[in-house]
Every structure is written in C-alpha cells, then in structure tokens.
Amino acid sequence: MQIDPLGNWRRTHYTTQIKPELDGTEVIIFGWIKEIRELGGIRFLIIQDREGNVQVTVPRKKVNKQVLEKSEALQTQYSVGVKGTVKKTTMTPRGVEIIPNEIRIISTAQHPLPLDPTGKTSAEIDVRLDARVLDLSREENIALFKIEHATLNALREFLTEKGFIEIHTPRIIATATEGGAALFPVNYFEQQAYLAQSPQLYKEQLTLSFEKVFEIGPFFRAEESHTKRHLSEFISIDIEQAFVNEEDVMHLLEELIFHVCQTVKEKCEKELTVLKHQVEVPKLPFKRFTYDEILKELAKEDVEVQWGEDIPTPAYRALGKLHPYFYFITHWPAKAKPFYIKLRDNNPALTEGFDLMWHWTEIASGGTRVHDKEVLVRRLQEQGLNPESFKYHLKVFDYGIPPHAGWAVGFERLVMMLTGVENIREVVLFPRDRSRLTP
RNA sequence: GCCUUGGUAGUAUAGUCCGGUCUAGUAUAAGCGGCUGUCGCCCGCUGGACCCGGGUUCAAAUCCCGGCCAAGGCGCCA
C-alpha cells in the first residue's frame, strides 16, 4: 500500500463544521474511515475526526480516476485526508455530503482489528483496555474525555475564583503520610521511598503560607481492591483552607459540585447526548446526616453496624437506595477517622470529619484538622502511629500553623457521576489496578 | 487476600447441566463477487475458534483434578 504524504494539505474544517451553507465550497478534512458502504455504482465513506463524522460520497462514474482508485483501496480505520466539494443534499441526516476531488491515504490499519471498528459488537472491558487507544477513538469515549476536560476546567475555574492557589506536592515521599492505605515502595537512590497516597500533610502545612490551596493530581494506593470504584492510581482533587472549619469547607464543596454539574450540563450537551446521559444539577444545600442518624436508618433496614466502625459496603448500598442524591455524613466517631481530623470540642468521641456521598458511593471526605501539636501527637499515638515518623510534619506546628479544614474529592468518581459510567476504569485513559499495569 | 462466575474464530455469543449427527451454530468484523442513495444498507460465496496440562471414558468443547487468565462481589480503601 502506497502511503500518501500529508504534503501541504491542512484541515480547513472539522467534520462537524461541514454545513449545508458551505454548498459548493472546496474543503479539506482529515480523519479515520469508520464505515464503508459499497452499493456498486456508489460508495459511501464515513469519515470520523475528534469532533464527529461526515459522509463522503463517491459516485463511480462521476469522480476522477485518482479518487476511484483510492476509495477502492480504503479499509476501516485508515487515516485519510479528503479534498472535496461540499454538497447540500436531502439524502443524508446532516443535509450535507462531500464529493471528493482527491483522497490521500495517510496511514493504514492492520485487520483484523482487536475491536469491531463499527462498534456493532461491543467488547468486554479487559479487551478494550488492551486495545485502549483504539477503544478511545470511539465517539462515546471521545465524548467522555471531553466531559472530563470540561470538569477539570470547571474545578480550576471555581477554586481559582474562590481565591485558592494551585499547588503541587511531592509524589515521592519518605514515610507513610497518614497511615491507612498501603503504599507502593520506590527505590530512591540509596533510600527507601514511597509513592504518595495523598497530599494531606503537605497541603495542611501550606495553609501556613498560602492559606487557601488546591491540588489536582494522581495518587497511589497499593490496595488489593478489585471493584468498579477503586484504582491503584487515581486523581484526587484536594483543597485546604486556613481559619475555617468543617462547616465552611462543606459549604464550599457543595457549591463546587453544583458549579461543576451546572457547567457540564451547559457546556457538554452534545457529549452527554452521545453518552445518553443527563446531568442533574443538585439542589443546595445538600442534606446532612450524622453518623448516629445513619446508623439508626440502617438499623431500620435491618443492617447492623457496630458504633465506631466504618460503614461496610453493603450498608452503603442500602443507604444509596434511601438517599439517591448527594448527602453529607457528619459527626463520625474518632476511631473511624484519621489522626489529623479534629475531635469535637463538646464530645471528643466524635470528630469534625465528614464524607460526601452520592447514592452509595463516597465522592469526598474531609473535615476540620487538628492544629494543636500536642493533640496531634496524642492522636497519632492513639492510632498506633509513631510521632517520630512524622517529625518533619510536627515541626511545622511550631511555626504558627493556623486552624484549617479541607477535603479531597475522588475525581474519577465525580466523573462517573457526571457521565453515568459504572466502571471507574472507563473514565481513566490508561487505568492501573491490582492486575493491570499495561498499556 | 477471600468468595462467586466464567474462559469457544479479531470481537460478541450458542452449545457444557444430561459426553456421541459438533464435520462446533449465529452475529459482527475480514476477503472475494454483485448492486447508483446507503446511513446497523442488502444479497451470495470464502477463510477463521473449543485457555494450558493431566485424568476418566470406546468416545471430552462438554465430566474430574491442577494451573494460568478475566469479570464481579467482599475485605482493605477513596
């Protein structure tokens, strides 16, 4: 197969910009052959680019020899450039087609492809992830990741508007930041290091200088999880703010969720249609339930949870049926929250920590933090952690650390909510989980 | 890590319970041919598969054992 050079051809229009008003105009489009419908005397080519697709019509007896030969050599997934004349027509759904004057085959594809290029036969997630780049070229996936892009923009726009400064904390760390989740070890020259599980301690420290900070970035958990909502590498949206408490950051969080839902609903109408999904803009304020209230509700559903323990997944599923929307769970017991979460002044058995739930999935978690060094040391010990391992963190508390609060949102889980996708691996370009390290 | 289910052409599936006309069916993708208005085009033809190893049996895709792989659930965790 002779490959044509790109040469001096440059795209004049995306496929979606080909409109009936351009009737008679010569255009150059680039894209991939998604379908070929051959009717003998006439051949229809569906060319897809990242914006959509358009039909190129090749009437055998009316086109030149070059076009005829090239169109006969085409196979699905070939990358092509088409220079042609836009023709207004009533015979396509879009009301336009392109009659080619010249076709360049820029890149070929080896058949059989690992996935059905037309998408008529859908493949399983494992097969799709093995051929991920090809999978990502499906219009559903392009739509999905455009929504992710819009979500990220909306997040940054909102937090920046609220006066937060974007930061980047280290991914390579010396010790476990907060206990809890397992870490991936890394060889750091002659030292043992780990991949960060969260920016928690760093972002808290930075409230001393920048007061209001946020970070959007990947973190790593070496957990054995095998579920539709866990990854070994995931994106966390973290904020931390000085001189505020739990209530303030919960308010900020619900406003952020509202803003993101509204923005995506407005700006991604086309993408949501492709995904056959609707974003519901939630009503403010979100409902708030205390841990005790949740336990009582669960008891009514015959789901018993030992007071002080975390809520097990089946119990969350039951909760999701009772509350199919966003809601906060507050007043968590001290035992169920990490050492840096502040205990309530009037009842030290409870914390000023909260979770944001969407149906049965935990979307975010946060709270007021401990900013008293002595309390922090005591809390570390109570949770079986060695204060010596946290000496660099604790030192910062001698420099005038302000009272502060913050939260972290699981970005992929937020995107799942926005797109209606049920497997977290679908919303990650190249997901990492317990058994997947490639591609 | 534990539990459950599964592994059949490139993809998705039927067949597996109850072993034998299974020479393994179908759809889609691919190749060839036909067709001038398709839009999941249509029609005809062609090629393409039982995860690996062992066992039981006259006979194994099918039953048994071991392994590998996957999906999902649980725990962990966000």
Side-chain angles (χ1 to χ4, degrees), chain A residues 53-342:
Chain A
N53 61 61
V54 73
Q55 175 172 297
V56 171
T57 305
V58 187
R60 178 174 291 188
K61 287 177 183 164
K62 293 180 189 165
V63 295
N64 62 51
K65 190 162 163 267
Q66 194 274 353
V67 165
L68 195 62
E69 279 173 7
K70 291 291 179 186
S71 75
E72 274 167 3
L74 287 172
Q75 293 186 358
T76 49
Q77 200 53 35
Y78 277 22
S79 177
V80 294
V82 175
K83 184 188 274 186
T85 310
V86 177
K87 190 179 156 200
K88 191 173 159 182
T89 173
T90 53
M91 286 184 273
T92 67
R94 284 257 307 282
V96 273
E97 61 188 356
I98 294 174
I99 309 297
N101 302 322
E102 187 182 343
I103 294 175
R104 290 189 183 173
I105 298 177
I106 289 159
S107 187
T108 60
Q110 289 302 312
H111 285 87
L113 295 163
L115 302 170
D116 178 352
T118 65
K120 288 173 198 163
T121 311
S122 58
E124 285 177 7
I125 186 79
D126 191 46
V127 175
R128 287 174 42 203
L129 292 176
D130 279 342
R132 186 55 161 165
V133 172
L134 188 59
D135 182 49
L136 289 172
S137 76
R138 293 163 46 230
E139 67 164 343
E140 290 88 349
N141 271 330
I142 294 171
L144 197 153
F145 285 93
K146 280 182 179 172
I147 292 173
E148 273 204 28
H149 176 64
T151 303
L152 276 173
N153 271 341
L155 290 165
R156 287 207 164 91
E157 171 188 79
F158 178 87
L159 291 169
T160 303
E161 176 67 25
K162 292 282 179 187
F164 285 79
I165 292 174
E166 185 160 7
I167 56 165
H168 291 96
T169 60
R171 287 318 90 152
I172 303 173
I173 57 170
T175 49
T177 45
E178 49 181 294
L183 302 178
F184 287 107
V186 174
N187 290 327
Y188 192 73
F189 304 107
E190 63 285 346
Q191 291 185 72
Q192 176 70 251
Y194 302 92
L195 291 178
Q197 61 171 197
S198 127
Q200 185 62 35
L201 305 186
Y202 289 103
K203 68 173 178 172
E204 285 193 52
Q205 293 174 18
L206 291 168
T207 61
L208 189 150
S209 41
F210 303 111
E211 301 194 26
K212 297 163 87 170
V213 295
F214 79 99
E215 175 161 23
I216 301 173
F219 290 98
F220 307 88
R221 304 276 167 97
E223 301 294 341
E224 299 283 359
S225 306
H226 186 205
T227 79
K228 292 198 285 183
R229 59 193 187 287
H230 289 92
L231 294 164
S232 303
E233 177 176 357
F234 69 103
I235 308 284
S236 181
I237 308 151
D238 270 87
I239 70 120
E240 204 66 30
Q241 182 171 2
F243 310 114
V244 294
N245 70 6
E246 167 194 39
E247 285 297 330
D248 300 289
V249 294
M250 280 165 71
H251 185 64
L252 178 79
L253 178 53
E254 62 190 357
E255 273 192 273
L256 172 80
I257 299 286
F258 179 88
H259 175 75
V260 167
C261 289
Q262 202 174 41
T263 306
V264 168
K265 192 186 173 79
E266 275 175 21
K267 293 191 175 168
C268 302
E269 212 173 325
K270 197 180 119 198
E271 287 77 20
L272 288 165
T273 306
V274 170
L275 293 175
K276 298 183 177 70
H277 182 69
Q278 291 187 342
V279 171
E280 195 186 322
V281 180
K283 291 203 170 51
L284 294 181
F286 294 166
K287 285 190 182 175
R288 285 144 163 85
F289 300 96
T290 65
Y291 175 84
D292 283 6
E293 286 168 343
I294 291 291
L295 254 55
K296 275 181 203 152
E297 270 195 326
L298 286 170
K300 273 189 219 159
E301 300 292 308
D302 284 326
V303 182
E304 290 301 328
V305 176
Q306 183 81 36
W307 195 91
E309 297 299 319
D310 218 329
I311 296 168
T313 309
Y316 273 126
R317 287 181 191 268
L319 273 183
K321 284 185 186 140
L322 296 170
H323 307 293
Y325 38 72
F326 284 105
Y327 57 101
F328 285 108
I329 303 177
T330 64
H331 296 70
W332 284 81
K335 198 184 156 193
K337 285 290 168 189
F339 69 89
Y340 51 81
I341 295 286
K342 185 174 182 289

Side-chain angles (χ1 to χ4, degrees), chain A residues 4-12 26-30 81-83 102 104 106:
Chain A
D4 299 317
L6 175 65
N8 60 357
W9 279 25
R10 293 297 178 267
R11 166 184 279 136
T12 62
E26 187 171 75
V27 297
I28 296 176
I29 59 164
F30 289 109
V82 175
K83 184 188 274 186
E102 187 182 343
R104 290 189 183 173
I106 289 159

Side-chain angles (χ1 to χ4, degrees), chain A residues 307-308 332-338 343 348-351 379 382-383:
Chain A
W307 195 91
W332 284 81
K335 198 184 156 193
K337 285 290 168 189
L343 304 181
L350 298 178
T351 64
R379 291 288 294 139
E382 281 170 7
Q383 301 225 347

